[in-house]
Each structure stands twice: as structure tokens, then as C-alpha cells.
Amino acid sequence: MLGPDVAWYLAVAGFLFGTGALGVLLRRNPLIVLLSLEIMLNGGNLALIGYSRHLGRGGGQIFALSVMAVAASEVVVGLGLVVALNRRRVPLDVDRLNSLRG
Amino acid sequence: MPTLLICLPLGAALVIWALPLNRVSAGSLAVLAALAEVGVWIQMLARFHFSRGGLQFPGHRNWFRDLHVSYHVGVYAFSVWLVGLTVVVMAACIAYAFWAGRDRTRAYFGLMLFLDAAIVGVFVAQDLLLFYAFFEAMLIPLYVLVGVWGGPGRIAATLKFVIYTMAGSLLMLAAVIVYGLQKGTFDLTTIGTSGSNWLFLGFAAAFAIKAPLFPLHGWLPDAYRESPPEVAAVLSGIVSKAATYGFLRIAIVKFPGPTHVLRTPILVLAAIGLVYGSLLAFRAPDLRGVVAYSSLAQMGLITFGVFAVNDLGLNGAVLQMVNHGLISATLFLLAGMVERRTTTGELTRIGGLARGRPALATMLMTTGIIALAVPLSSAFAGEFLILAGVFRRGWGWAAVGAVAIVLAAMYMLRLISAVLHRETGPSVTDAALDLRPAELGVTVPLVACLLALSAWPAAISGHSFAHHISTRSGWTSYGPMKSP
Amino acid sequence: MIPGAWICLLSPLAGALAITLAGTRLSRRGAAYLSTLSCFVAFGGALASFAGSLGEKPHERHHLSTAWTWIQGGSYKSGLEVLVDPLSVMMMLIVSGVGALIVAYSIGYMDSDDEERRYFAYMSLFVFSMLLLVQGGNLILLLAGWGMVGLSSYLLIGFWHERPSAVAAAKKAFVMNAVGDATMALAFFLTIQKTGTLSFGALNALHGHSGWVVNLVALGLLGGAVAKSAQLPLQTWLPDAMEGPTPVSALIHAATMVTAGVYLIVRTHAAFELAPKVQDLAAGLGAATLLLAGLIALVQVDIKRVIAYSTMSQIGYMFLGAGLGAYANSMFHLMTHAFFKALLFMAAGIVIHALAGEQDMRRMGGMRALMPRTYWAFLVGALALVGVPPFAGFFSKDSILAAAMGHGWYGYILWIAGLVGAFLTGVYTFRMLFMVFWGEPSAFAREHFHTLKRDVPGLALEIPVVVLAVLSVIGGWLQFAPTWHPVATWLDTVAAPLVSPTNWQEAVSSVLAVVLGLAGIGLAWLLYAAPRRRPIPRTAFWQRTLEHKFYFDELYDTLFYVPSSFVARALGFVVERPLILGGSTELGTETREVGGLFARLQTGLLRTYALAIASSLAVLAIVFVAVKCRPF
């Protein structure tokens, strides 16, 4: 097999996933949260593809394709929500969007 | 035939709910159904063999075959009398409601008939799960009846009543499930006895709340005060008897060991309830309060009889169940009639109602005097048997009972003179007429039953248990232990 | 004879039912006649039973007739049975005979009352109850009659129920009687436990049981007797019971109800003889009561109350006799007492009726001139009461006193008490007579007096009084202790006396009693009727104590009513409120709070939810892997 060992792919994927997770948990702007979510998803994708190449099976790559489709639709919905929030002059701050609290 | 007794009012209820009848037709149909029910019961009574022990008129259908749960109904001698009490009191209450008029008539009478069926079901069920189902089914119509047609504080009263009772019933459900699964069957006629104190307590909790037994009576005063008079009559007259029936049929028969161990605490609670209820009845400020607390006291007395576990006590308890059912139903109906006329039940605002109202005075006086168990009345016979039975367990219990006799005289006479005698109260006007023929027609049969029982209490007390109950072991030859 | 007994029992009940069911369809006078008729029919039945019994040999005179099984509990059962034996026949005759006369008298007395029908229904019910009591063939029927008598007396005492005092008096009577019922019931439970039955023979079967069992049974029976007969310490209801109409006082408090206690002791004498201490206690209570009542009667100003206290006192004599074992003598005194006490009440009733309802003796006076015939009747009754020969009281009272002499030192104390009582009887009886009938007619009397008319009510008032006056004279001639005692012979098979006084004892007692009685009359004359009246000796302390009836009412109020009222109210606050309100509302708030705790998890913040999802997923994944791969 050419290229780096699967461990490197996993490391990068893990780094991407961690960065994305930190972004989701720590950032306040919903747009940035969505962006971090995307990074997380891509990290996952990378792990899937890396293993697919390592094991020689195509299942991982196909799954990565469906993840990308889902990610795209989710971004559409999420961006739509953010735009709607912005139109209503609601402050774009996740810490302040808590009207569904118990 | 027990199945007919359950299905007849149920069918009538469905008819009333389904068809768009007007007030008069719905009411008359309900009254007719209730009277037909009484007729069926009389038939059953005539064909019942009191000299034979064991279950009679059995009906059986499998329900959950793998769990051995079945639809099993039948009657014993003592259940016959309790079913009779149910149908007679329900007939009187439905007739009174028809005469008094309730809005949303179809809903009301349907619910009353449904209640009738559920209570009869409790008394004839011979399968644990079926018994539980009917026990809970009683609550549904009561919840609606009190919550919709009740007095000003009805919501709180209903909530308290339902939640309290349900808490107990859930404990009973747990006990039912464990007991049934342990023994491999849910059929009451074949299930063996158990020595588990916890199972006994599970059942006892439900029954103690329903009866009620001190100190689990928190729901009682409000529920009895806020319900419509006929529903209060049903609650205190019949529904409470379902609890003591449960004690009799399940708790002491199936758990002889725990009964023996826990007898003293239960007798203590019953004794406290007896005296406590009498004292509070003596100070209650309103008509319904007096009857409600006297109900608490009487249930303590009946529990005394049941937990004496000997022939005197048990026979007395069955007799007193029927007596008290008739008495408190009549008293609540009369209280309702008085409240209709004076818009209030406060004893300080009514008085002198005897003047010019001989029918009301006679009815209230007769019922009140039987209620305080004047010797030669059936209530006296029941009380005497119970106290004689519990005397065998210890003279102290009978001494408490004797104190309660005196207290009963005090509170009942206070009630009678506060309503009938002395100067006319501020809420009594000349528009408050004497009892109408319809009201007499509802209460006179109940009082006539009481008077007939007073002439012949042995009708019930001598015909409740087919065989002599041995006092040592308690249950060697008692009906329910035999196979059907 | 048996049918006679059943007719005697059921006729008044039928009368009461008929009057109740007929309602306003029956005229008031009609109800009165119906009730009187039912009582006379009862008397006829009693006579038939008596005639039948006379024709039998003494040891055969015991018949139990059962209608059906009344109460049954397993192996215990009692039937509705009627007993015909010498004692019950004697009581039947007294109750139905004197009762019929009094009900007839009521035709006149209650003529103007609107509620006459109710009155006569209650009177018939009362006569039925009393007959049930004396005819009951087992202890539970006796208790049934006992309680029904208490009930009927409640109904009759509180007859004028617009008067709060009447209602209160009725309740008091009933509650005190209920206390007696309760003690009797306890005695019966003990009897059932030890002998398994409540027939009269069960008391004989108590022989051989331990001392405390027999003592408790006898004590319970005594409690009931004391309550019903208004003896110490349960005597406070009797004077208040004078709130009822006068014929009610005559029937209940002279002839029948209060004598039930004496009947009970004689009927259950087997139990008492097995517990001699209790029997002595009965005699002692009788003696104490007769003194107490005699003293209190000295200061009463209401004519009916004087007669009431004298009843209490005379019943004390009967208890004394029964407690000593002189059963026949007590029953004989019961009979003569019924005659002259009813007579006194009825004559007083005529006076009250004539003075438009006035009962205060201080406003009466000189009625002798206005109502001569009533005066003579009253005088006959008074002389009979004091025990002056040849009137009825002399023959019956003195033989009881003689019986006391043969009972050791305790008996002598009782004997002296009885003699003092005889003296007091003379004083208070004739005080009453002199105050009401002698002297000049008072201003009040002149103003309000109206004579009796010669119509049915008027005759109804007079004839029974005349009959009773005659009986008060000749009634005592039925037994003259030393030589002729048919009453004792009659009752011998039922209640053989424990003591037979010697002729010497009889003579001493009689002479002393008569002398003291006459001395009492003399003292009363000196104080109330003599031309130069001596001033009445008074001390403030005694005046107060006697007027307050030795403070028994206040004592019972503090001992029982106030504490129970307080406890009831306290329970209401301390226990009931928390139970009703507390428990359930607290349950609701607690549930809400727990729910609130859980609701804090819903912060509304996105990242909390995200963290939750992520961490749970991570945990689940690790667990899944660990379980699947089992690396450890």
C-alpha cells in the first residue's frame, strides 16, 4: 500500500473530530457551531475512508458518501434557521437561546 | 347469574350513552335497569342454597391462559348479601338522582350504572386480577361523578380521593402480581395461602385506604362533603364495603399467618378509628360531617369484627356491613334532602325542622335511632356480635367498643336535635316543605329493609357462613377454602 | 296463657304502629283512644296469663315461648322468646295496669296539645318496650327492652322539643342510660365467653367460675340497673326528666322505667348471689341514694321535682331490699310504690293543669279549698308514701327495713339509713302537701285557677286518680309480713329470699319507721302549717349544697363532658387537620419539587444537550466494545 499508515489518518481524523467538538461546545455563534459540526463530520469521514483503504473494503467509502449527503442537508436546515434568527433580530448567541428550558 | 348482574347495568349504561335520549327517558331507563337488577338479585337469593358451603352460580372463561388468569365469578353466602346491598342502595340513589334532576343526564346515569356494574363485579369476582380490575373500575365513574357534579370544592376533593386510593391500589397490584406468579394461578378459589407479611400488607394497604381505616382517612371528609348526596351515599354505603369484603375474602383467608401476626396493630388502628371518628362526629359542624365521621367509626367497628376471626365477629361484621350500608345511604340521602331545602348543611343554621314536617321528622328520627344502635335494632345485633367476638381476643377491645356505644348515642342525638328540635334555624324558611312522595319512595324502602332486619337479624348473621368457623385455626371449614 | 303473654306484649306495639301509619287520618282524640285501648288489651292479656299461672302448681310456672331465632353468630344464638313465670306476670300486671291508667289519664291531660298523636304513639311504644323488658325470655331481649325503654323515655321527655331544656334533658337521660347499656353489654360478653349462651340459666352456669368473672358480670349488671333506676352515681338525669309532660313522669318515673333496675336485680339474682360483695354494694348504693334524695327533696320548690326525688329515694329502698336478698319484699314495694307514686304525680298534674301549667310550689297555696277531691287523693298518696298504716306503703317498706337487721353490722348501718330516710320522707312529703294545699289560697292561685269540666277529658283526669287512690289504700293489704304473705309465696319459685326477718325484727322496724314518719310529718307541720310557724332552720352551706344536688351535675360536667369536648376539638386541630390537609398537599408539593429538580436538566442551552448526547454515546460505545470483544 502506498502512502502513510492508517494510524496517521486516524490521528488527523481524531484531531479534526476533537477540534470540531471543542468548537461545538465552546463557541457562541451558531454559525461557528455549525461549521465546527461540519469539521466533526469530516473527521469522521476521514476515519471511515482511511479504514476502508486499510481493510480493502469499499463499505467505508460508500458510508462516507452518505454522511456527506446528510451533512449537506443538515447544513441547509441549520443555515436556514440561523438566517431566520438573524432576520428576527435575535442575538446570535447560543448561550442566550434558552427559551426551551425546563 | 353473576355475569348477568354485571352485564345488565353495563348494557343499560351503553344504551344510555349511545342513544340520544332526553332527560326523562334516560332517567327512567336507568331506574328501570336498577330495579331489574334488584329483581335478578332476588331471584338469585331465592335459588341460593344456604345450607351448602362453597361457591354457587359459578361462571368461568379463560382470559390469559398461560398466566392462569380467568374470568371467574360466583357467589358465597356472604357475598349474596353484599351484592344485595349494592343493588338496593344503587336503585335508591339512581331513583333519587332521577327525581332531583342532574344536568348532562345521559352521562350521569350511564356513569352510575357503570359504577353499579363495577361494584357488583368486585363482590362476585373470584380471580385476583379480575378483582383488581373491578376494584379500579369503581374509581373511574366516581372520579367523574364527584369531579363534575360535586360541590364547590370538588376538584381538590376528587384529586385527593383518587390519588390516595390509587396509591393503595398500586400496592395491591404489586402484591397481586407477585402472589399470583408465585402460586402459579390467579384464581381465588384454588390459590393456596401465603405466609408473606409484605404481600398481606400490600393488600391491606389498599383496603385500609378504601375503607377507610385511621389514619388513612384523609380523603374522607372532603369527598363525602363535596359529592352529590346520592354519590356520597354510594361511596359510604357500598364502596367502603368493597374494602372490608376484600379484607374478608382475600386478606384473612389467604394470609392466615400474617393475619395472626399483624392482628393487634390492625385492631389498634380500628379501635382508634372507632373512638376518634365518634369524637369528631360529636364536634362536626355540619350534617355531612357528622355522617362522614360516623362512617369512619363504623368502618373501624366492622374491621374489629373481621379481624376478630371467629364466628361471632365475622357474622357480626357481615351483618353490620349491610346495616351500615343501608343506614349511611339513607342518612346521606336525607342530608341531601335537608340541604336542598335549606341550602346549607351547617347545624347552627338549621333547626326546628320537625315542626310541620312529620314525614321528615319520622324518617330522620327512625334512621338516626337505628344508626345509634338502639337495642332491638339490627345495628345493635351487628354491634353486639362484633363486640362479643372481639371480646374473645381481649376484653380491652370490647371496652373500647362500649365507650363507642355511648359516644354514638351522643353524636347521633346531637344530630337529631340540631336538625329537628329547638328553635327554627336562620336558614329554615316556610318554603322548606315536608318530604315529597318521591323522596319518601326512595328512603322508605331502605328504612323498611332496616326494620325488617331489626326483626330478624339472623337472616344475615345466621346465613353468611355455611359452616361453623373453628376459632383456633380460623379457617378449616370456611367456605372459600373449599374448591368450587 | 302463652297467647295472653304475646297479646300483652304486642298490643301496645300494634297501637303505636297504627297511630304512626294512620298519621293525620286519625283524629287526635282517636289516637288517644286507640293507645288507651291497646294498653287495656295488654292488661287483659296480662290477666289471662296470671289466671293461667294461678291454675298451675308453683314449680310448673315457667314457660318459654319462642317466635323465631333473632340473632345468630356461629354457635351462639338467641331467639325472640317470651317468658311467663311469676315474676314476669307480676311485672306485666303492674306495667300494663298502671300504664293503662296513666295513658287514660293522658286523654285528659294532653287534650289541648297539637301533637297528641305523636305523644300517644310514643306512650304505646314505651309500654311495649317496658313489657319487652319484663317479658323477655333471655338476657339479650332484656337488653333490647332496656334500650328501647331508654329510647322511648328520650322521645317522651323531649316531647316538647321547642324547649331547649327539654331536649337537653332528654339527651342527658339517654346518654346516662347508654352508659348503663354499655356496662350491661360488657357483662353479657363475658357471660357469652364463659358459658356460650345468654339464656337466664347462663347466670346459674357461672357457678364455679373464678371470683373476678362473677364479680365483673354482677358489676356490669349493677351498672345498668343503677343507670336505669337513677341511683347513685348515675342519678342526675331523673330530676331533669321532669321537663316532660306530667303523665310521662308518672309512667316513666314512678311506675315503670325506674323500677326496671330493681326487676333486673331480682331476675338476675343468681349472678348477684354468686358475687355477694356486689350485692352488698347494691344495697349500699340504695341506702346512700335514699338519704341523698331525701335531703335534696327538702329544698326543692318545683312540685314535680319533689316527687321525682322521692321516687329516687323509694327506689333506693327497693335496691336496699334486693341487695339484702329480700326479693319479694322489694317487688312488693315496687308494686305499692307504683300505685301511690303514680297517684301523686297525677294529682300534682291536676293541680298543675288547673293552675295553667304552674309548677312552682311557692306560688301555690290553699288549694285544699279550691280542689277538695284532689286534696284527698293527694293526701292518700302522701300517707301511703310515708308509710302510715293502714295505707299501702306501711306494709311494703317496713319489711325491707326488717330484712336489714339480719345482715350483721353492715345491715345495721343500712337499717339506720332506712329509718332516717323514713323520717326525711315524712318531712319533705308533707312539706309539699302543706305548701300546696294548706293555708290561704295564694294570689296567683286565685287569679289563674279554673275548675275541671265534666267532659271526657275531665273524667279522664279524675277516674284513674280515684282508682289509684283506692289501690293505694288497699294495695298494701296484699301482704302483712308476719302472718299473710301471698306475694312472697308467689315469687318464691323465681327468687327465693336470702333472709327472713323474725317477727320481733319486723315489729321493731315497723314501730320505729311509723314513729319516725309521724315525727317527720310533725316537723313539717311545725315549719309549714302550724298557726305559729317556727322559722325554717337554714345554713348557707347546706342550702347551697342541697340546691345544687350535691354538685353531681357540676362534677360530671367537669369529669366527662368538658374533657370529651376538649379532646374532640383538640383532635380536630392536632390530628385531623394535618391528616386531611397536610398529607395530601405535601405530597403534591414534594412531587412538584422533585419534578423541578429534574427540570433543571433542561437548561435550554444547545451545548448542554450536545454534551449529553456525546458523552452518552461515548459511554455506550465503550461498553458495547468491551462487552463484544472481552479484552479483559
Coordinates of all heavy atoms in Angstrom, one line a residue, chain B residues 58-112:
Chain B
P58 N -71.5 -20.4 39.6 CA -70.2 -20.1 39.0 C -70.2 -19.7 37.6 O -71.1 -20.2 36.8 CB -69.4 -21.4 39.2 CG -70.4 -22.4 39.2 CD -71.7 -21.9 39.7
G59 N -69.3 -18.9 37.1 CA -69.1 -18.6 35.7 C -67.7 -18.6 35.4 O -66.9 -18.0 36.2
H60 N -67.2 -19.2 34.3 CA -65.8 -19.3 34.1 C -65.4 -19.2 32.6 O -66.1 -19.7 31.8 CB -65.3 -20.7 34.6 CG -63.8 -20.8 34.7 ND1 -63.0 -21.1 33.6 CD2 -63.0 -20.7 35.7 CE1 -61.8 -21.1 34.0 NE2 -61.7 -20.9 35.3
R61 N -64.4 -18.3 32.3 CA -63.9 -18.2 31.0 C -62.4 -17.9 31.1 O -62.0 -17.1 31.9 CB -64.5 -16.9 30.3 CG -65.7 -17.0 29.6 CD -65.6 -17.2 28.1 NE -66.7 -18.1 27.7 CZ -67.8 -17.6 27.1 NH1 -67.9 -16.4 26.8 NH2 -68.7 -18.5 26.7
N62 N -61.6 -18.5 30.3 CA -60.2 -18.3 30.3 C -59.9 -16.9 29.8 O -60.4 -16.5 28.8 CB -59.4 -19.4 29.6 CG -59.2 -20.6 30.5 OD1 -58.8 -20.4 31.6 ND2 -59.4 -21.7 29.9
W63 N -58.9 -16.3 30.3 CA -58.5 -14.9 29.9 C -57.1 -14.9 29.4 O -56.8 -14.9 28.2 CB -58.7 -14.0 31.1 CG -58.7 -12.5 30.7 CD1 -58.7 -12.0 29.5 CD2 -58.9 -11.4 31.6 NE1 -58.7 -10.6 29.6 CE2 -58.8 -10.3 30.9 CE3 -59.0 -11.4 33.0 CZ2 -59.0 -9.0 31.4 CZ3 -59.1 -10.1 33.6 CH2 -59.1 -8.9 32.8
F64 N -56.1 -15.1 30.3 CA -54.7 -15.2 29.9 C -54.4 -16.7 30.3 O -54.0 -16.9 31.4 CB -53.8 -14.3 30.6 CG -54.2 -12.8 30.4 CD1 -54.3 -12.0 31.5 CD2 -54.4 -12.3 29.2 CE1 -54.6 -10.6 31.3 CE2 -54.7 -11.0 29.0 CZ -54.8 -10.1 30.1
R65 N -54.5 -17.5 29.3 CA -54.3 -18.9 29.7 C -52.9 -19.3 30.3 O -52.8 -20.0 31.2 CB -54.6 -19.8 28.4 CG -55.0 -21.2 28.8 CD -55.2 -22.0 27.5 NE -56.3 -21.4 26.7 CZ -57.5 -21.9 26.6 NH1 -57.8 -23.0 27.2 NH2 -58.4 -21.3 25.9
D66 N -51.9 -18.6 29.7 CA -50.6 -19.0 30.1 C -50.3 -18.5 31.5 O -49.5 -19.1 32.3 CB -49.5 -18.5 29.1 CG -49.9 -17.2 28.6 OD1 -51.0 -16.7 28.8 OD2 -49.1 -16.6 27.9
L67 N -51.0 -17.4 31.9 CA -50.8 -16.9 33.3 C -51.8 -17.5 34.3 O -51.8 -17.2 35.4 CB -50.9 -15.4 33.3 CG -49.7 -14.7 32.8 CD1 -50.0 -13.2 32.7 CD2 -48.4 -14.9 33.6
H68 N -52.7 -18.3 33.7 CA -53.8 -18.8 34.6 C -54.7 -17.7 35.1 O -55.1 -17.8 36.3 CB -53.3 -19.7 35.7 CG -52.5 -20.9 35.2 ND1 -53.1 -22.0 34.6 CD2 -51.2 -21.0 35.1 CE1 -52.1 -22.8 34.3 NE2 -51.0 -22.3 34.5
V69 N -54.9 -16.7 34.3 CA -55.9 -15.7 34.7 C -57.2 -16.0 34.0 O -57.2 -16.2 32.8 CB -55.4 -14.3 34.3 CG1 -56.4 -13.2 34.7 CG2 -54.1 -14.0 35.0
S70 N -58.3 -16.0 34.7 CA -59.5 -16.3 34.0 C -60.6 -15.3 34.5 O -60.5 -14.6 35.5 CB -59.9 -17.7 34.4 OG -60.0 -17.9 35.8
Y71 N -61.7 -15.3 33.8 CA -62.9 -14.6 34.2 C -63.7 -15.5 35.0 O -64.4 -16.4 34.5 CB -63.6 -14.1 33.0 CG -65.0 -13.5 33.3 CD1 -65.1 -12.2 33.7 CD2 -66.1 -14.3 33.2 CE1 -66.4 -11.7 34.1 CE2 -67.4 -13.8 33.5 CZ -67.5 -12.5 34.0 OH -68.7 -12.0 34.3
H72 N -63.5 -15.5 36.3 CA -64.2 -16.5 37.2 C -65.1 -15.7 38.2 O -64.6 -14.9 39.0 CB -63.1 -17.3 37.9 CG -63.7 -18.4 38.7 ND1 -62.9 -19.2 39.5 CD2 -64.9 -18.9 38.7 CE1 -63.7 -20.2 40.0 NE2 -64.9 -20.0 39.5
V73 N -66.4 -15.9 38.1 CA -67.3 -15.3 39.0 C -68.1 -16.3 39.7 O -68.3 -17.4 39.3 CB -68.2 -14.3 38.3 CG1 -67.4 -13.1 37.7 CG2 -69.0 -14.9 37.2
G74 N -68.7 -15.9 40.9 CA -69.5 -16.8 41.6 C -69.8 -16.1 43.0 O -69.2 -15.1 43.3
V75 N -70.8 -16.6 43.7 CA -71.1 -16.0 45.0 C -71.0 -17.0 46.1 O -71.3 -18.2 46.0 CB -72.5 -15.4 45.0 CG1 -72.6 -14.1 44.3 CG2 -73.5 -16.4 44.3
Y76 N -70.7 -16.5 47.2 CA -70.8 -17.2 48.5 C -72.0 -16.6 49.3 O -72.5 -15.6 48.8 CB -69.5 -17.1 49.4 CG -68.4 -17.8 48.8 CD1 -67.4 -17.1 48.0 CD2 -68.2 -19.1 49.0 CE1 -66.3 -17.8 47.5 CE2 -67.1 -19.8 48.4 CZ -66.2 -19.1 47.7 OH -65.1 -19.8 47.2
A77 N -72.3 -17.2 50.4 CA -73.5 -16.7 51.1 C -73.3 -15.2 51.5 O -74.2 -14.4 51.4 CB -73.7 -17.6 52.4
F78 N -72.1 -14.9 52.0 CA -72.0 -13.5 52.5 C -71.9 -12.5 51.3 O -72.3 -11.4 51.4 CB -70.8 -13.3 53.4 CG -69.5 -13.8 52.8 CD1 -68.7 -12.9 52.1 CD2 -69.0 -15.1 52.9 CE1 -67.5 -13.3 51.6 CE2 -67.8 -15.5 52.4 CZ -67.1 -14.6 51.7
S79 N -71.4 -13.0 50.2 CA -71.3 -12.1 49.0 C -72.8 -11.8 48.5 O -73.0 -10.7 48.0 CB -70.5 -12.6 47.8 OG -69.8 -13.7 48.2
V80 N -73.7 -12.8 48.6 CA -75.0 -12.6 48.2 C -75.6 -11.3 48.9 O -76.2 -10.5 48.3 CB -75.9 -13.8 48.5 CG1 -77.4 -13.5 48.3 CG2 -75.5 -14.9 47.7
W81 N -75.4 -11.3 50.2 CA -75.9 -10.1 51.0 C -75.3 -8.8 50.5 O -75.9 -7.8 50.4 CB -75.7 -10.3 52.5 CG -76.4 -11.6 52.9 CD1 -75.9 -12.7 53.4 CD2 -77.8 -11.8 52.9 NE1 -76.8 -13.6 53.7 CE2 -78.0 -13.1 53.4 CE3 -78.9 -11.1 52.5 CZ2 -79.3 -13.6 53.5 CZ3 -80.2 -11.6 52.6 CH2 -80.4 -12.9 53.1
L82 N -74.0 -8.8 50.3 CA -73.3 -7.6 49.9 C -73.8 -7.2 48.5 O -73.9 -6.0 48.2 CB -71.8 -7.8 49.9 CG -71.3 -7.9 51.3 CD1 -69.8 -8.3 51.4 CD2 -71.5 -6.6 52.1
V83 N -73.9 -8.1 47.6 CA -74.5 -7.8 46.3 C -75.9 -7.2 46.4 O -76.2 -6.2 45.8 CB -74.5 -9.0 45.3 CG1 -75.3 -8.7 44.1 CG2 -73.1 -9.5 45.0
G84 N -76.7 -7.8 47.3 CA -78.0 -7.3 47.5 C -78.0 -5.8 48.0 O -78.7 -5.0 47.6
L85 N -77.1 -5.6 49.0 CA -76.9 -4.2 49.5 C -76.6 -3.3 48.3 O -77.2 -2.2 48.2 CB -75.7 -4.2 50.5 CG -75.3 -2.8 51.0 CD1 -76.4 -2.2 51.8 CD2 -74.0 -2.9 51.7
T86 N -75.6 -3.7 47.5 CA -75.3 -2.8 46.3 C -76.4 -2.5 45.5 O -76.7 -1.3 45.2 CB -74.2 -3.5 45.5 OG1 -73.2 -4.0 46.3 CG2 -73.6 -2.6 44.5
V87 N -77.2 -3.5 45.0 CA -78.2 -3.2 44.1 C -79.3 -2.4 44.7 O -79.9 -1.5 44.0 CB -78.8 -4.5 43.4 CG1 -77.6 -5.2 42.6 CG2 -79.4 -5.4 44.4
V88 N -79.7 -2.7 45.9 CA -80.8 -1.9 46.6 C -80.4 -0.4 46.7 O -81.1 0.5 46.4 CB -81.1 -2.6 47.9 CG1 -82.0 -1.7 48.7 CG2 -81.8 -3.9 47.7
V89 N -79.2 -0.2 47.3 CA -78.8 1.2 47.5 C -78.6 1.9 46.2 O -79.0 3.1 46.1 CB -77.5 1.2 48.3 CG1 -76.9 2.6 48.4 CG2 -77.7 0.7 49.7
M90 N -78.0 1.2 45.2 CA -77.9 1.9 43.9 C -79.2 2.3 43.3 O -79.4 3.3 42.7 CB -77.1 1.0 42.9 CG -75.7 0.9 43.1 SD -74.8 2.5 43.0 CE -74.9 3.0 41.3
A91 N -80.2 1.3 43.4 CA -81.5 1.7 42.9 C -82.1 2.9 43.6 O -82.6 3.8 42.9 CB -82.5 0.5 43.1
A92 N -82.0 3.0 44.9 CA -82.5 4.1 45.6 C -81.8 5.4 45.2 O -82.4 6.4 44.9 CB -82.3 3.9 47.1
C93 N -80.4 5.3 45.0 CA -79.7 6.5 44.6 C -80.0 7.0 43.2 O -80.2 8.2 43.0 CB -78.2 6.2 44.8 SG -77.7 6.0 46.5
I94 N -80.2 6.0 42.3 CA -80.5 6.4 40.9 C -81.9 7.0 40.9 O -82.1 8.0 40.2 CB -80.4 5.2 40.0 CG1 -78.9 4.7 39.9 CG2 -81.0 5.5 38.6 CD1 -78.7 3.6 39.0
A95 N -82.8 6.4 41.7 CA -84.1 7.0 41.7 C -84.1 8.4 42.2 O -84.8 9.3 41.7 CB -85.0 6.1 42.5
Y96 N -83.3 8.6 43.3 CA -83.2 10.0 43.8 C -82.6 10.9 42.9 O -83.1 12.1 42.7 CB -82.4 10.0 45.1 CG -82.3 11.3 45.7 CD1 -83.4 11.9 46.4 CD2 -81.1 12.0 45.7 CE1 -83.3 13.2 46.9 CE2 -81.0 13.3 46.2 CZ -82.1 13.9 46.8 OH -82.1 15.1 47.4
A97 N -81.6 10.5 42.1 CA -81.0 11.4 41.2 C -81.9 11.7 40.1 O -82.0 12.9 39.6 CB -79.7 10.7 40.6
F98 N -82.7 10.8 39.6 CA -83.7 11.0 38.6 C -84.7 12.0 39.1 O -85.1 13.0 38.4 CB -84.4 9.7 38.3 CG -85.5 9.8 37.3 CD1 -85.4 10.6 36.2 CD2 -86.7 9.0 37.4 CE1 -86.4 10.6 35.2 CE2 -87.7 9.1 36.5 CZ -87.5 9.9 35.4
W99 N -85.2 11.9 40.3 CA -86.1 12.8 40.8 C -85.5 14.2 41.0 O -86.1 15.2 40.7 CB -86.7 12.3 42.2 CG -87.7 13.2 42.7 CD1 -89.0 13.4 42.4 CD2 -87.4 14.2 43.8 NE1 -89.6 14.3 43.2 CE2 -88.7 14.9 44.0 CE3 -86.3 14.6 44.5 CZ2 -88.8 15.9 44.9 CZ3 -86.5 15.6 45.4 CH2 -87.7 16.2 45.6
A100 N -84.3 14.3 41.5 CA -83.7 15.6 41.8 C -83.3 16.3 40.6 O -83.2 17.5 40.5 CB -82.5 15.4 42.8
G101 N -83.0 15.5 39.5 CA -82.5 16.1 38.3 C -81.1 16.5 38.3 O -80.6 17.2 39.2
R102 N -80.3 16.0 37.3 CA -78.9 16.4 37.2 C -78.7 16.8 35.8 O -79.2 16.2 34.9 CB -78.0 15.1 37.5 CG -78.2 14.5 38.9 CD -77.3 15.1 39.9 NE -77.7 14.7 41.2 CZ -78.1 15.6 42.2 NH1 -78.2 16.9 42.0 NH2 -78.4 15.1 43.4
D103 N -77.8 17.8 35.5 CA -77.6 18.1 34.1 C -76.7 17.1 33.5 O -76.0 16.3 34.2 CB -77.0 19.5 33.9 CG -76.5 20.1 35.2 OD1 -77.3 20.3 36.1 OD2 -75.3 20.3 35.3
R104 N -76.6 17.1 32.2 CA -75.9 16.1 31.4 C -76.4 14.7 31.9 O -75.6 13.8 32.3 CB -74.4 16.2 31.6 CG -73.9 17.4 30.8 CD -72.5 17.5 30.9 NE -72.1 18.2 32.1 CZ -71.0 19.0 32.1 NH1 -70.2 19.1 31.1 NH2 -70.7 19.6 33.3
T105 N -77.7 14.6 31.8 CA -78.4 13.4 32.3 C -77.8 12.1 31.8 O -77.6 11.1 32.5 CB -79.9 13.4 32.0 OG1 -80.3 14.7 32.1 CG2 -80.7 12.5 32.9
R106 N -77.6 12.0 30.5 CA -77.2 10.7 29.9 C -75.8 10.3 30.5 O -75.6 9.2 30.9 CB -77.1 10.8 28.4 CG -78.5 10.7 27.8 CD -78.4 11.0 26.3 NE -77.4 10.3 25.6 CZ -76.6 10.9 24.7 NH1 -76.8 12.1 24.3 NH2 -75.7 10.2 24.1
A107 N -74.9 11.3 30.5 CA -73.6 11.0 31.1 C -73.7 10.5 32.5 O -73.1 9.5 32.9 CB -72.7 12.2 31.0
Y108 N -74.5 11.2 33.3 CA -74.6 10.9 34.7 C -75.2 9.5 34.9 O -74.6 8.7 35.7 CB -75.6 11.9 35.3 CG -75.7 11.8 36.8 CD1 -74.7 12.4 37.6 CD2 -76.6 11.1 37.4 CE1 -74.8 12.3 39.0 CE2 -76.7 10.9 38.8 CZ -75.8 11.6 39.5 OH -75.8 11.4 40.9
F109 N -76.3 9.2 34.3 CA -76.9 7.9 34.6 C -76.0 6.7 34.0 O -76.0 5.7 34.6 CB -78.3 7.8 34.0 CG -79.3 8.5 34.9 CD1 -79.9 9.7 34.5 CD2 -79.5 8.1 36.2 CE1 -80.7 10.4 35.3 CE2 -80.3 8.8 37.0 CZ -81.0 9.9 36.6
G110 N -75.4 7.0 32.8 CA -74.5 6.0 32.3 C -73.4 5.7 33.3 O -73.1 4.5 33.6
L111 N -72.9 6.7 33.9 CA -71.8 6.5 34.9 C -72.3 5.8 36.1 O -71.6 4.9 36.7 CB -71.2 7.9 35.3 CG -70.3 8.5 34.2 CD1 -70.0 10.0 34.5 CD2 -69.0 7.7 34.1
M112 N -73.5 6.2 36.6 CA -74.0 5.5 37.8 C -74.2 4.0 37.5 O -73.8 3.1 38.3 CB -75.3 6.1 38.2 CG -75.2 7.4 38.9 SD -74.4 7.3 40.5 CE -75.9 7.2 41.6

